[in-house]
Amino acid sequence: MSEAPTTHSPQLGDEVRDLFRVPPERAVFEPLTHNPKNGVTAGVWRVTVAERSAVLKVLTRGKQTTEIWAASEDPRHWNFWRREAYVYEEGVARAWEPWGITAPKLLASVERPDGDVALWLEDVRGEPATGWSTAAHAGHARRLGAAHGRALAEQTEPLDHPWLSRRFLRDYTAAQTTGRDLLDDDTAWQQPLVHDHFPEGLREEMVRLHHEREWILRIMESLPRVFSHLDQWPANLTAPHSGQSVLFDWAFAGDGALGEDIGNYIPDTILDGFLPAARLPELATAVYEGYVRGLRDSGWQGDERLVRLGVCASSVKYDWLTALMLSRAGDAQQLDYGGSRTVEAEHRYRERGVVLAFLADWAREARGLATELGFPH
């Protein structure tokens, strides 16, 4: 997590004064969990002055990081550094508000002299999705399905501002190369954490998924298109009121396939430990059924097999995760998302092994549906 910025900075001091109408030294900065590797994020903080608070997120393009997470100047790139500012400034983050999915209010967007952009956002309080029941996850999926379904039923063109991402799934997965050479390495698969905790047969299935990556990506790119968040998971959601979802972190938003958002949501809920892997089938069924119900509620009458294909073929997004797990199986210290705490390695590999096996089942189902629907191999 990022260290608290100094209020001795004239620029930050001015921002605090403008927003809170108090001297900047009265502000308390609390770092919030985020991906510290991402080159577009200089930091995220909850800023509190007495009884008032706001969230400060600073977007940058000058942060030193790995090549994978480097900020891009290309407005269509999945990691375009300024996208989230545009999403808030242009009101795109509230596109799904009629269906109960909204975003924090933008309080201020400040172009700083050093080229960074400071987003001052409403500090939304509610029930974080990291603690939601299965029914609550399904409710969010139903709201999302209703938003997608209405756009498809009315044959509305997906939102297409020049700074929204395109080819997210293809380009994001292509960038994640760590450990890829280990997929066919016998020694890597014999490491104790892998050998003892990955299910039998997983190697063959995940190697096949990797080799079929291009075909599956072409399938995803040919499915009905919908405006998508592309980073939906419980850490980016809260519920201030029953029947309402508030989504954070719109940095990847853009063009996606029907079903792609929940194809990310379901596995990520387990991969980062918000629910145990034993609950994955229950969660997957509830979220999928909620999404389809929302699609139908809003008037979409399309072939449900296309929805199912979009969800199952989303398994290709996790092609890189198997390789990453192989590369880190010898690490003495395993860190959580955000890198602030250690996690128990055997538990992580056991739980993620279950998820990877589940994704292998999705890939098998996607192959069958693609053949049934006439997608050429």
Side-chain angles (χ1 to χ4, degrees), residues 207-363:
V207 168
R208 180 177 181 182
L209 176 62
H210 176 69
H211 290 315
E212 291 184 337
R213 177 175 167 272
E214 176 58 32
W215 176 55
I216 298 175
L217 286 170
R218 288 200 306 270
I219 290 171
M220 289 293 286
E221 290 166 354
S222 66
L223 290 173
R225 314 313 298 167
V226 288
F227 171 62
S228 302
H229 181 274
L230 298 172
D231 195 18
Q232 295 216 31
W233 63 308
N236 282 341
L237 269 169
T238 193
H241 308 289
S242 176
Q244 184 185 53
S245 310
V246 177
L247 258 175
F248 312 119
D249 198 354
W250 293 79
F252 299 158
D255 173 69
L258 179 64
E260 185 174 343
D261 264 343
I262 64 166
N264 181 89
Y265 189 99
I266 292 167
D268 268 10
T269 301
I270 311 298
L271 288 169
D272 285 290
F274 302 125
L275 284 176
R279 299 275 301 278
L280 179 52
E282 168 198 342
L283 175 75
T285 298
V287 169
Y288 175 75
E289 290 179 352
Y291 185 70
V292 172
R293 192 172 298 118
L295 287 166
R296 296 306 191 199
D297 287 347
S298 63
W300 183 72
Q301 298 298 320
D303 189 338
E304 188 185 327
R305 292 177 298 175
L306 294 173
V307 187
R308 188 65 187 171
L309 179 56
V311 174
C312 292
S314 294
S315 55
V316 75
K317 183 188 177 186
Y318 299 91
D319 161 52
W320 63 271
L321 182 58
T322 307
L324 182 69
M325 298 295 286
L326 291 174
S327 74
R328 293 186 176 171
D331 291 356
Q333 187 180 62
Q334 303 271 333
L335 299 176
D336 68 347
Y337 178 83
S340 61
R341 294 184 299 111
T342 59
V343 296
E344 201 275 310
E346 292 193 355
H347 177 77
R348 165 174 278 180
Y349 275 75
R350 184 167 55 249
E351 292 284 286
R352 288 190 170 182
V354 172
V355 180
L356 291 173
F358 188 90
L359 291 168
D361 289 340
W362 267 7

